[in-house]
Amino acid sequence: MMDLFSEIEEPEREELKNLRKELEEANYKYYVLNMPTLSDREFDEKMHRLQALEAMFPDMFDPKSPTQHVGSDLEKPHPTSPQGEEKGRKAFETVKHKYPMLSLANSYSREEIEDWVRKLPQGVEIVCELKFDGLSISLWYENGQLVRALTRGDGQQGDDVIDNIKTIPSIPRHVVGTPSTFEMRGEVLLPWERFEALNKEREEQEEPLFANPRNAASGTLKLQDPKEVARRGLDAYLYYMLGENLPGKTHFERLQTAKQWGFHISDAIKVCHNVDEVMAYIAYWDTERKNLPVATDGIVLKVNDLAQQEELGFTAKTPRWAIAYKFPAEKQLTLLKEITYQVGRTGVVTPVANLEPVQLSGTIVQRATLHNEDFIKSLDIRPGDRVWVEKGGEIIPKIVGRDNPTPTLPSREGDGFTFPTVCPECGTPLVRVEGEAAWRCPNEAGCPPQIKGKIEHFVSRKAMNIDGLGEETIDLFYQKGLLHNIADIYDLKLEDIAAQERLGEKSAQNILAGIEASKQVPWARVLFALGIRMVGETTAKKIARVYNNIDSLQWATAEQLCAIEDVGPQIAENIVKYFEDIRNIEILDRLRKAGLQMEGESLQPSAISHQLDGMSIVISGTFSQHSRDEYKALIEAHGGKNVGSVSKKTSFILAGENMGPEKRKKAEDLGIRLMTEDEFLELVNGNL
Ligand code: IVH
C-alpha cells in the first residue's frame, strides 16, 4: 500500500520541486534583473500552490524554499541587467538589517480578507493603507541624521543606497525631536508622470523600456550616478516605524508622529473597526487609486494596537498582524488580427500585435508590442488566436498568453509562427546577431524608416534641436528627394523648402534659422545626434569629455574606448564600426564643412593611452600647470585610478608643492615614489 501511495504522491512531489525552482528564478528576475517574467498574479498563485504542497509533504520542508524567505534584490558581483543599466550598476555595501525586512501575506480574494478580519479578536482596530507598488526601503536615523538606507535585500541584509536615497526630496536627511535612533520603512516609487517621461526618452534613444514604474524605480535606485537618480525624480511614502522606546501605542499614532517629524505619510490611511468599514475602504480605493500620482497594487490591513501586534507575532516570512489585498490586474481576451513589423532608426524590427479593439482600465487597446521573435514563440501565438491582454501595474498593455485551449482554427494548422526573413520596408535580408534577441535590417543607408529615423533623431530637442523639422516635414522632404541623410539638412535651400505645399516662405525661414542655430550646438550633443548605436546622451557626454574632437575619436580603438566610464565592449564596437563605414566619413566631412562643432573644450589630451593602467595614484599638494581635477581626469584618461590615501598598493604619488607631511612620511615608510608635475606630464604625454 505504501508504495502505491508514494507512486500517487510522486507527481506532486515533483511539482513541488519544480515550483521551488521556478519561483527562485522568478524572484531573481524580478528583484535583481528588474525583468519580471511572471505576472504578480501568476507568481502569487504558484506561491500559494507551493505552500499547499509543502503542507501536504512536511517531510520535504526546506528552510531554503521560496515560501520561507523573501526574494533577494542584493547585487550579485557582476550582474548584467537586460534593462541596459549594467554600466550604471555597482556593488553597494551590504549591511545587516537591525530588524529583518519581511514580506506580507496576500490574497486576491475579498472573501479571504473578510475571513482574516473576522478571525481577529473582537473589537480589534484595523488600519487600512494603500499598498504602494515600488520597492521597500529601510531608513536609519541616528541623532537626527539619516545614516543608512538599505534595500530589502534578502530580508536579513540589504544594499546601502544612501547616496541615491538622498536625492529624494521628500525623505528628510535631518529630523528634530525624535528618539536618538529609529528606523522608518517605506516604499520608493517613480511617479507615473516621471515613469512615462523616462520611457519616452528611452524609446527615442532605442533603449529597452521599463515594464512598469516598480522596475523603473528599482533600476534607478541601483544606479551608480546619484545625479542621474535625481534627474529621474523618485519619491517615497513611509508606512512603518521601528525601534526601541518609540512614542505611541498604536501603529496609526506612530505614523501621525512621523508625519509631524516631516516624513511623507499617505493621507489615505484609515482606522477601521469592522469588516464593513474595511470592505468599503477596499471598494473606494479600487477605483480611486487610478487617480493617484503613483502606482498601487492593493490595500494593506494592519492590526492597529502594537501590543496586539506583538501577541500575534510573525511567521518566517510575514507578520501575522497584517495582510495585503491585491487588486486583480485587468485582463481581456481579444482577437490577434495580424502581426505587423516596425523598423526603428537602428534597423531593429519589432513585431506589433494588431488586436480587435478591447476596453481595458479605461482605455481602448488595439496594439501591443510583441518585443521579438522569442517572445512570440514563448507564448506560441499567431494571427487568428484569441489572446489575453493585460494592464496591471503596467501602463503599456501586454499580451500575456493565448486562450487555452484555443479553439481549433484553420490558422493554427501548419508550422506555427515564423519571423520574416527580409525587411518589411526595403526587402533586405534580416540579420540576427548572436546573443541578441532582435532581428535587424542591415540596410542602414537605404531603408526608409532608418533614414528618416536617423534624421528625426538628429534634429530632436536633446540632439541638434532644429525647430520646424518635425516627423511629417522630414517625411515630406524625404519623399521629394530633398533629404537622404543628416548632412543633406545643411544643403536645404530657401526656395526648395518654400516650394513645398503647406510650407510657405515664413516656415522656410524658420527652418533655416533652426538649422543655422544648430551649428552652435556643442560637440557632445553633436556626437549624440550622430545616432551611433547605444551612444545615448549621457554616454556621448562622457566620450566627448575624453575625446574632445572627432578626429581623435575616429582613430580610437575599441580597447581605448572601453577605458571611458559607461563604455562597454558593445558600445566601443559600435563606435569603431561607425567610423569604419566610408559613408559615415563622407557625411561627417560634409557636417564639418557646414560648420558644426566637431571639437569641444577639454582639459585633456586628445588621445588617451594605457600608460597608467592598473595604477593607483595619490595626488597631494598644489600644482602650477593644471588643477587637481585636471590631473585626476588625466590619470583616468590614461587608465589609472586616483585614490585618496597612501597605502602599500599606491603606485606613486603625484606630488605638488606643500605636500602634507603625513602623506610624505607614509610614502617614505612604504618606499613609494614621489613624482613631480613635470615628470608626470612627460610620462603621459610621451604616450600620446
Ligand atoms: S507594511 C512587516 N505597508 O509590500 C510588514 N508594506 O508585499 C511591513 N508595501 O515588502 C510591510 N505598501 O515593500 C507595508 N502600506 C504598506 C505597504 C507595504 C507597500 C510593500 C512592502 C512590502 C511588500 C509586501
Side-chain angles (χ1 to χ4, degrees), residues 508-642:
Q509 271 165 357
N510 281 344
I511 293 175
L512 286 182
I515 294 173
E516 199 49 38
S518 75
K519 295 179 184 168
Q520 299 313 316
V521 164
W523 156 231
R525 270 171 56 194
V526 174
L527 175 57
F528 167 58
L530 296 179
I532 303 173
R533 272 178 59 202
M534 293 168 79
V535 177
E537 201 193 348
T538 324
T539 313
K541 267 193 210 150
K542 290 188 174 156
I543 297 172
R545 235 180 275 151
V546 179
Y547 292 89
N548 77 330
N549 63 56
I550 189 98
D551 299 313
S552 59
L553 182 60
Q554 180 176 344
W555 300 112
T557 64
E559 211 183 16
Q560 286 168 334
L561 290 166
C562 278
I564 304 172
E565 186 191 353
D566 259 19
V567 177
Q570 190 62 56
I571 299 183
E573 197 186 312
N574 292 344
I575 298 173
V576 170
K577 275 212 180 115
Y578 178 87
F579 287 107
E580 273 170 9
D581 190 331
I582 182 76
R583 289 169 300 194
N584 291 331
I585 302 299
E586 277 165 16
I587 286 174
L588 289 172
D589 263 354
R590 288 174 61 200
L591 292 178
R592 189 204 304 265
K593 285 195 186 114
L596 266 63
Q597 304 294 316
M598 299 292 203
E599 194 165 330
E601 295 248 320
S602 172
L603 310 164
Q604 297 182 22
S606 54
I608 58 166
S609 76
H610 284 265
Q611 179 65 22
L612 307 178
D613 261 359
M615 292 195 192
S616 292
I617 299 155
V618 172
I619 306 177
S620 184
T622 53
F623 301 92
S624 56
Q625 303 190 39
H626 290 284
S627 71
R628 262 169 174 268
D629 279 346
E630 288 168 15
Y631 277 121
K632 179 168 187 268
L634 266 176
I635 289 172
E636 281 165 8
H638 288 273
K641 207 166 119 193
N642 173 219

Side-chain angles (χ1 to χ4, degrees), residues 30-31 44 70 100-106 128-137 152 185-189 237-240 242 251 255 266 269 295-302 314 317-324 326:
Y30 184 92
Y31 287 109
D44 291 332
V70 300
M101 270 179 105
L102 302 177
S103 175
L104 285 172
N106 68 50
C128 288
E129 298 174 14
L130 294 172
K131 185 170 185 311
F132 295 105
D133 194 11
L135 63 147
S136 33
I137 194 78
R152 186 167 75 172
R185 289 200 185 157
E187 204 81 352
V188 174
L189 302 142
Y237 281 93
L238 287 315
Y239 46 64
Y240 193 20
L242 295 101
H251 172 66
L255 290 189
S266 163
I269 302 174
T296 53
D297 61 344
I299 301 294
V300 184
L301 281 64
K302 298 173 184 170
F314 296 86
K317 218 176 114 176
T318 60
R320 288 198 193 87
W321 46 263
I323 192 166
K326 299 252 284 218

Side-chain angles (χ1 to χ4, degrees), residues 226-294:
K227 272 210 214 92
E228 173 62 13
V229 179
R231 196 186 67 82
R232 292 193 184 175
L234 294 170
D235 198 357
Y237 281 93
L238 287 315
Y239 46 64
Y240 193 20
M241 190 199 292
L242 295 101
E244 272 138 52
N245 305 320
L246 297 179
K249 287 191 162 39
T250 65
H251 172 66
F252 187 77
E253 276 174 78
R254 282 201 179 160
L255 290 189
Q256 296 318 305
T257 308
K259 195 180 217 165
Q260 280 161 16
W261 290 342
F263 288 100
H264 195 198
I265 310 287
S266 163
D267 287 327
I269 302 174
K270 187 169 189 280
V271 181
C272 294
H273 303 87
N274 53 51
V275 167
D276 293 343
E277 283 180 23
V278 170
M279 297 327 277
Y281 183 93
I282 291 182
Y284 176 79
W285 283 107
D286 194 359
T287 48
E288 215 33 52
R289 72 191 184 103
K290 288 168 192 154
N291 301 319
L292 293 171
V294 293

